[in-house]
Amino acid sequence: MSTKPTNVEEIKKELIAKMPTKVARKRAKSILPGTEVGEPIPEIQSNVRTIPGIITQRGCTYAGCKGVVLGPSRDIVNLTHGPIGCGFYSWLTRRNQTDAGPDGENFIPYAFSTDMTEHDIVFGGEKKLRAAIQEAYDNFHPKAISIFSTCPVGLIGDDIHAVARTMQEELGITIFANSCEGYKGVSQSAGHHIANNQIMKHVIGTKDVEVEGKFKVNMLGEYNIGGDAFEIERILEKCGFTLVATFSGNSTVEDFRIAHAADLNTVMCHRSLNYVAEMMETKYGIPWIKVNFIGAEASAKSLRRMAAYFEDQELIDRTEAVIAEELEKVKTVVDEIKPRTDGKTAMLFVGGSRAHHYQELFKELGMKILGAGYEFAHRDDYEGRHVLPTIKIDADSRNIEELEIHPDPERFKPRKTEAELAKLNEQGLDFKGYEGMIGGMGKDAMVIDDINHYETEKLLEIYKPDIFCAGIKEKYIVQKMGIPLKQLHNYDMGGPYAGFNGAINWYRDIDRMVNTKVWNLIKAPWQADGPELEATYVA
Amino acid sequence: MALLRHTTGEIKERKALTVNPAKTCQPVGAMYAALGVKGCFPHSHGSQGCCAYHRSALTRHYKEPVVAGTSSFTEGSSVFGGQSNLITAIDNIFTLYDPEVIAIHTTCLSETIGDDLMQISQKAKDDGKVPAGKHIVYASTPSYVGTHVTGYANMVKGILKGFVTKTGTPNGKINIIPGFCEPSDMAEMRRLADMMGIDITMVPDTNGVLNGPMTGHYEMYPNAGATPAEIAGMGDAKATIGLGRWATADGVNFLDAEFKVPGHVMGLPIGLKATDRYVDLLRKLSGKTVPDSINFERGQVVDLLSDYSQYFYGKKVAMAGDPDQVLALVEFCITLGMIPAYTVTGTAGKYFDERMTELLKDVPYDCKFKCGGEADMYLLHQWIKNDPVDLLIGNTYLKYVARDEDIPLVRHGFPILDRVGHQYFPSVGYSGAMRLMEKFLEALLDRLDRDAPETRFELQL
């Protein structure tokens, strides 16, 4: 392996050298070196506006709300109120899998839209929205309908919440609306927050039933892309946990309704779902811990913490047995593959948790992370939750409703006493804790928030990593440079990558990607460097 | 259990709800058209999501890099107008990405607040944000009017408006405006003209841009597409041919009205008859003779058709797609002896109904067709539920219907997310007709082989 430049400051200078002064000044605050474990973590600029004209990885608020959070719910009719485009583009592109069973409802393969035309923009779209809800009800008889507003809807002022309210009264099913116009906030992240608020207000805790099972948990921020949730479900069941609800992979509205019956909330994607975890703790008294099921060791660690929380020796023993059994399978594959991946290098610029989680899997293959960053994270995702009180709320964040949550007069039930929580915390449960991405990445790693195309191209030229992780928009740009790209938003055609079987899938896919011969075929024999050789055949 | 398990044959009238649309919005078409100009950087004036979605959709379909800028609207820009965002964007784009041209299109957001691209572009020039020799072209593409096909047409016209001039000295060339089709289709249209020795200008031309080679280097502006200088010369051409009424009529009429370049709008040259019309028009406009090499290819199509018509004859087909595409496919299916039983296109237009009626007048079947807002794939599926067909033709989203109803699917149109080939192999021209026939035949015969009882499992055709 050739020596790579490791001076982050010099590389940073190169990244911003050609940018207009104002742009360079702004971007400089979003580029940092990583830190060693235990070192103080510097402040990084994040969750700020994208610079107009800069080719960005980011999407919009609607994409976060409909596409990410509510899209994977299988029995809700997710109705996009707007011109046809937004509904069309959020149709099945995230590879959210679901198993509806023989009789279960499944609206995931459908795209519902009010398909607004000029007439609706000029005269208002409420009438059409009402009619569309009625038609959705008449044709599909869903248990719930969720409405998503797109950019022009916010401008013309359709009151989608009033329409939802009146139609709910008329039809007697749950109907709620999300004001998730694309221009709100600075990235998809605003849409996650909006969706969570509405699920919290309209769905969670709307049904009280006795849920069977001794160790009841919810999984928050897991979207079942490429079947991740299926693998996590398999493991939890094997250990003896009862999964009440997953937000929102392979989920149903009925699961959301009874989610307050769980005794522990586990958070996979901190960025998209920490809000629900926080609100449910305040309202129902359910503690939460951050977990990570990406990476075999990370999965084992998460399972151990979950088992420790319930303080039941039988559960702890069973969990240990499952971990031992699963890790043995994993080890066989790692032993086979690691010699081929050891020492290779990777970069990840994606999402709002995935750029962190997937580092575990690369490390298990002996690969080095040269750089990473999030597309739509906030400072706490980088620096850890302890910085939350110091984050300045700007105008763009202020546009997003902040719910005032109080303990539910009937349903609030602290799962553990303060003393019990403190004791468990000491044992390493780390309630409400997330240490963020930067700590432990090492000083020679680049941390870049909201990386743009220009910076990506420069980084690739400088570092030439063996693999780059981003999304579909970046994929072929990177591959044209002869570097394989693994999509981490929808995994290309791969997955699951969560849990133990997922880890094995990942090892095999990465082995294939960094060791495939295709990248050696780019030059034709006559294009090879060096002087032309002449030879004669001597018999 | 079915994937589209909630779809039943009971058809209830819908006026407000679109389910599984057979169309998408204007800007994605505009972005695609802009990529057919050499050195061009598409820019989406609106929120980030639009640009991200359009880049993703085009990338997933072509499996090639698609870059574009966005004005990155936040709430403030939506209230106070997007002028400052756009001017900043133009400055940043020329500084960092150094394109020859920026092609700006609007979104439903910037249209609703009433941003005027002509005025903002002028201001950018006045403020010195457009370097000497560089260009800005633009098109108004509100998503609540028309579809991706309309957006393509609008950007084509925007490009022509931005560059075409008339020197008064005829250049003897023929302008070709291809409809919303594949880079491979554009290459094939050009190949036919080349075979006849005709000098053409093709705008847009995405061949080499969205089906480029692997070189180990990323080129933001591949060495392909129509150059601004070539486009400028279109005002001095002998004639313009537009292939696809919805996608090209505006551009053709613009050149006719502004520069007195006589325009001819025809359908996409898909299938035998449509290709005949294309070649014949080229012949008449250029005064050139159709070479034997073209007659040879045509003869091969007829040969293939005569050899295998028994497998096509009487087979019922359902299709969804763009009107320019499906009208041509319907004609070709009829030529093959098939019955285009059900056809939907999300793009509206009176001509669709007229032309379908004309095409179907001798087809011995009560064929159903519909265009516009209510013509979605849900309706198509309901029709099929009530009376199945032998073959489906349409984009990837039809694969759910294909699986549920156990009907073979030939992928055609936009977007195709789960197969490759469309970028490289044309479906227009005589070679395209042969490829389509092969695909139809494969689909029908694979089904025949799969379902045949052992006693009738045949080794030969």
Side-chain angles (χ1 to χ4, degrees):
Chain A
M1 208 173 31
S2 62
T3 48
K4 316 265 185 189
T6 51
N7 187 332
V8 175
E9 281 309 315
E10 265 171 38
I11 293 165
K12 176 172 165 178
K13 265 189 206 140
E14 205 172 322
L15 293 187
I16 60 175
K18 204 185 152 192
M19 293 178 181
T21 321
K22 266 167 78 178
V23 177
R25 207 181 303 138
K26 185 171 174 188
R27 287 303 303 153
K29 294 180 198 154
S30 293
I31 306 173
L32 289 179
T35 61
E36 306 295 340
V37 181
E39 270 189 346
I41 292 168
E43 182 175 331
I44 187 164
Q45 173 181 264
S46 61
N47 194 39
V48 293
R49 293 177 183 181
T50 313
I51 300 157
I54 299 296
I55 303 169
T56 173
Q57 292 187 334
R58 282 177 171 173
C60 68
T61 304
Y62 165 84
C65 191
K66 197 274 184 182
V68 174
V69 174
L70 272 155
S73 62
R74 71 166 161 83
D75 61 355
I76 299 178
V77 162
N78 288 312
L79 171 59
T80 301
H81 184 40
I84 199 66
C86 306
F88 183 89
Y89 301 115
S90 56
W91 183 14
L92 283 173
T93 48
R94 289 248 311 163
R95 296 187 60 241
N96 302 111
Q97 297 185 2
T98 204
D99 179 3
D103 305 310
E105 290 176 39
N106 182 12
F107 296 112
I108 288 183
Y110 291 86
F112 302 98
S113 171
T114 54
D115 187 9
M116 289 172 89
T117 59
E118 203 162 17
H119 178 274
D120 309 311
I121 299 296
V122 175
F123 296 103
E126 288 180 21
K127 207 173 137 193
K128 191 167 197 183
L129 177 58
R130 254 193 303 276
I133 293 170
Q134 183 69 52
E135 288 172 10
Y137 181 78
D138 293 343
N139 276 273
F140 300 100
H141 306 287
K143 294 189 187 83
I145 298 175
S146 173
I147 300 147
F148 303 85
S149 57
T150 59
C151 288
V153 171
L155 292 179
I156 65 174
D158 280 356
D159 189 345
I160 57 169
H161 302 281
V163 172
R165 224 166 22 243
T166 53
M167 290 310 287
Q168 171 163 299
E169 280 162 24
E170 251 173 64
L171 301 174
I173 59 167
T174 301
I175 302 180
F176 61 98
N178 304 273
S179 288
C180 56
E181 294 85 357
Y183 56 76
K184 278 198 177 162
V186 300
S187 71
Q188 294 94 312
S189 170
H192 309 147
H193 196 164
I194 291 165
N196 291 325
N197 284 349
Q198 299 311 93
I199 300 173
M200 193 67 205
K201 273 204 283 197
H202 299 280
V203 193
I204 296 173
T206 52
K207 193 171 169 183
D208 289 307
V209 289
E210 204 51 50
V211 178
E212 279 183 34
K214 258 164 95 182
F215 314 112
K216 295 189 285 267
V217 299
N218 291 323
M219 182 69 56
L220 309 185
E222 166 47 55
Y223 303 107
N224 203 22
I225 290 167
D228 276 351
F230 294 147
E231 166 68 359
I232 298 173
E233 285 166 18
R234 177 187 76 85
I235 298 168
L236 295 187
E237 196 182 330
K238 204 168 161 187
C239 293
F241 295 100
T242 300
L243 185 58
V244 182
T246 301
F247 292 75
S248 51
N250 196 29
S251 67
T252 68
V253 68
E254 293 303 311
D255 295 344
F256 291 164
R257 286 190 203 288
I258 58 168
H260 62 297
D263 292 317
L264 175 68
N265 273 333
T266 62
V267 176
M268 270 285 280
C269 176
H270 175 260
R271 183 64 267 137
S272 56
L273 257 287
N274 79 84
Y275 314 99
V276 169
E278 281 290 296
M279 291 189 282
M280 285 181 79
E281 174 151 28
T282 309
K283 192 167 177 179
Y284 304 112
I286 307 173
W288 71 268
I289 56 169
K290 171 81 180 71
V291 294
N292 178 16
F293 280 93
I294 304 295
E297 292 297 336
S299 300
K301 190 178 162 199
S302 297
L303 288 172
R304 287 193 177 109
R305 286 167 63 222
M306 288 169 69
Y309 169 82
F310 287 101
E311 299 175 272
D312 178 285
Q313 198 53 46
E314 204 179 310
L315 175 71
I316 292 169
D317 292 345
R318 197 162 154 190
T319 302
E320 286 301 336
V322 170
I323 291 171
E325 185 191 332
E326 298 282 336
L327 282 183
E328 205 183 312
K329 265 189 329 192
V330 171
K331 190 176 175 298
T332 313
V333 185
V334 172
D335 287 348
E336 178 210 325
I337 287 172
K338 200 170 168 185
R340 295 193 293 267
T341 52
D342 202 31
K344 292 204 186 285
T345 56
M347 292 184 138
L348 314 82
F349 291 94
V350 58
S353 285
R354 288 176 191 265
H356 187 192
H357 290 163
Y358 279 83
Q359 295 189 21
E360 302 276 348
L361 278 168
F362 278 124
K363 285 175 192 160
E364 287 170 7
L365 290 174
M367 292 175 67
K368 182 172 168 56
I369 309 300
L370 299 173
Y374 295 132
E375 182 180 349
F376 47 74
H378 301 202
R379 275 183 56 207
D380 40 319
D381 302 300
Y382 286 106
E383 300 170 47
R385 284 182 69 85
H386 66 278
V387 301
L388 277 171
T390 65
I391 294 179
K392 287 194 206 84
I393 306 293
D394 58 19
D396 295 311
S397 299
R398 212 165 279 131
N399 292 333
I400 316 302
E401 183 188 21
E402 199 65 56
L403 297 189
E404 211 179 297
I405 298 286
H406 301 288
D408 186 291
E410 287 141 38
R411 300 184 187 87
F412 179 78
K413 185 181 77 184
R415 296 332 198 246
K416 302 262 179 190
T417 64
E418 286 297 329
E420 284 169 334
L421 288 175
K423 197 185 105 209
L424 286 167
N425 223 14
E426 256 172 50
Q427 291 166 6
L429 247 82
D430 195 17
F431 290 108
K432 299 163 73 115
Y434 179 45
E435 79 286 7
M437 186 182 86
I438 298 180
M441 278 195 70
K443 284 206 172 316
D444 56 350
M446 301 284 299
V447 179
I448 308 183
D449 181 63
D450 182 26
I451 196 172
N452 57 56
H453 165 85
Y454 182 81
E455 292 158 0
T456 305
E457 219 183 309
K458 284 267 168 214
L459 272 187
L460 291 171
E461 281 166 13
I462 297 166
Y463 281 103
K464 293 256 181 302
D466 293 303
I467 193 166
F468 193 85
C469 300
I472 185 68
K473 300 193 295 296
E474 293 76 36
K475 183 176 174 90
Y476 298 99
I477 296 171
V478 174
Q479 295 198 161
K480 281 277 195 261
M481 299 170 89
I483 296 165
L485 184 141
K486 180 72 199 164
Q487 286 189 67
L488 286 189
H489 295 281
N490 80 352
Y491 302 164
D492 301 283
M493 288 301 287
Y497 296 134
F500 302 105
N501 288 338
I504 292 170
N505 285 339
W506 172 268
Y507 304 149
R508 295 203 189 286
D509 282 353
I510 297 305
D511 175 31
R512 169 180 56 76
M513 291 182 80
V514 300
N515 289 310
T516 181
K517 301 286 177 283
V518 64
W519 310 109
N520 302 329
L521 302 173
I522 294 172
K523 295 284 176 227
W526 54 91
Q527 291 171 322
D529 293 333
E532 211 164 303
L533 294 177
E534 276 183 54
T536 44
Y537 179 71
V538 184
Chain B
M1 195 69 202
L3 289 158
L4 299 169
R5 60 184 69 193
H6 304 281
T7 305
T8 65
E10 190 194 350
I11 298 172
K12 294 174 179 156
E13 195 193 12
R14 283 178 292 131
K15 287 205 161 112
L17 181 71
T18 292
V19 186
N20 302 350
K23 62 172 178 181
T24 183
C25 68
Q26 283 212 52
V28 78
M31 192 180 277
Y32 178 54
L35 292 166
V37 175
K38 193 176 171 189
C40 183
F41 185 98
H43 181 81
S44 166
H45 186 47
S47 305
Q48 279 155 208
C50 307
C51 184
Y53 276 138
H54 302 145
R55 287 182 62 204
S56 297
L58 292 172
T59 304
R60 286 197 175 105
H61 178 79
Y62 293 105
K63 320 288 180 207
E64 284 288 315
V66 174
V67 296
T70 162
S71 293
S72 292
F73 274 43
T74 52
E75 197 137 82
S77 3
S78 310
V79 176
F80 301 112
Q83 172 168 304
S84 99
N85 284 42
L86 184 50
I87 290 175
T88 305
I90 291 169
D91 190 22
N92 287 333
I93 291 166
F94 278 126
T95 309
L96 271 185
Y97 310 119
D98 195 30
E100 292 304 307
V101 190
I102 301 176
I104 307 165
H105 58 262
T106 56
T107 60
C108 43
L109 173 57
S110 54
E111 280 291 330
T112 308
I113 63 175
D115 277 354
D116 180 352
L117 290 188
M118 183 163 78
Q119 176 260 320
I120 302 175
S121 308
Q122 192 53 51
K123 181 152 176 25
K125 282 179 202 158
D126 296 345
D127 291 357
K129 306 291 186 198
V130 184
K134 306 277 183 171
H135 312 272
I136 292 179
V137 299
Y138 49 84
S140 170
T141 53
S143 315
Y144 46 76
V145 177
T147 68
H148 57 294
V149 183
T150 326
Y152 178 92
N154 284 336
M155 184 48 86
V156 168
K157 190 175 165 188
I159 292 164
L160 299 177
K161 260 180 146 169
F163 292 115
V164 181
T165 55
K166 195 179 184 81
T167 62
T169 311
N171 61 18
K173 293 170 88 170
I174 290 176
N175 302 324
I176 293 181
I177 304 179
F180 198 137
C181 60
E182 297 293 329
S184 50
D185 292 330
M186 296 181 187
E188 182 63 11
M189 292 169 189
R190 181 184 291 279
R191 189 180 71 96
L192 283 168
D194 284 350
M195 285 169 87
M196 295 176 73
I198 300 168
D199 199 0
I200 63 160
T201 308
M202 182 173 283
V203 177
D205 183 358
T206 58
N207 183 40
V209 181
L210 290 163
N211 54 2
M214 167 69 85
T215 59
H217 298 286
Y218 166 65
E219 304 283 350
M220 191 176 282
Y221 311 108
N223 188 21
T227 64
E230 274 179 280
I231 304 170
M234 290 171 86
D236 296 321
K238 207 187 260 185
T240 307
I241 303 176
L243 297 159
R245 178 175 288 252
W246 276 261
T248 71
D250 285 354
V252 172
N253 293 339
F254 169 76
L255 292 175
D256 203 328
E258 291 287 314
F259 302 100
K260 304 288 171 278
V261 180
H264 306 266
V265 177
M266 52 191 301
L268 278 169
I270 292 176
L272 182 69
K273 290 180 179 173
T275 305
D276 284 351
R277 289 195 293 273
Y278 172 60
V279 171
D280 206 33
L281 184 60
L282 280 174
R283 179 183 69 89
K284 285 175 182 155
L285 293 175
S286 66
K288 308 260 185 181
T289 313
V290 178
D292 282 345
S293 53
I294 289 184
N295 291 327
F296 182 86
E297 287 186 15
R298 185 185 185 281
Q300 289 179 319
V301 176
V302 183
D303 188 63
L304 200 56
L305 174 52
S306 69
D307 289 348
Y308 301 110
S309 67
Q310 66 269 32
Y311 294 103
F312 298 122
Y313 190 80
K315 290 285 185 293
K316 284 192 321 195
V317 182
M319 62 180 101
D322 299 343
D324 290 329
Q325 295 280 356
V326 294
L327 282 181
L329 285 168
V330 163
E331 186 186 38
F332 188 41
C333 285
I334 294 170
T335 308
L336 295 176
M338 298 199 282
I339 295 165
Y342 311 120
T343 308
V344 293
T345 175
T347 307
K350 221 172 76 186
Y351 178 74
F352 182 78
D353 294 340
E354 289 168 17
R355 178 71 177 146
M356 283 297 284
T357 309
E358 190 185 321
L359 287 169
L360 293 169
K361 71 178 188 301
D362 295 323
V363 176
Y365 192 80
D366 182 20
C367 299
K368 289 190 171 75
F369 57 88
K370 197 173 171 97
C371 72
E374 291 81 40
D376 49 29
M377 292 190 195
Y378 178 65
L379 176 68
L380 187 81
H381 191 181
Q382 289 186 308
W383 283 340
I384 293 167
K385 284 253 176 220
N386 288 316
D387 184 15
V389 294
D390 302 296
L391 186 67
L392 289 168
I393 305 173
N395 68 27
T396 290
Y397 285 100
L398 273 182
K399 79 188 275 182
Y400 285 72
V401 178
R403 170 153 163 158
D404 279 0
E405 306 302 331
D406 196 17
I407 300 168
L409 165 66
V410 169
R411 285 166 180 78
H412 184 93
F414 177 83
I416 294 173
L417 309 169
D418 63 337
R419 293 292 188 276
V420 295
H422 47 280
Q423 314 92 319
Y424 306 110
F425 311 116
S427 56
V428 303
Y430 299 118
S431 64
M434 281 196 277
R435 175 171 174 251
L436 278 179
M437 253 194 278
E438 185 207 4
K439 288 176 81 170
F440 296 167
L441 199 58
E442 289 271 354
L444 293 168
L445 293 180
D446 281 350
R447 168 53 47 91
L448 201 63
D449 282 345
R450 194 197 78 179
D451 294 346
E454 276 180 26
T455 46
R456 292 192 58 93
F457 187 65
E458 307 287 354
L459 189 65
Q460 57 196 338
L461 287 182

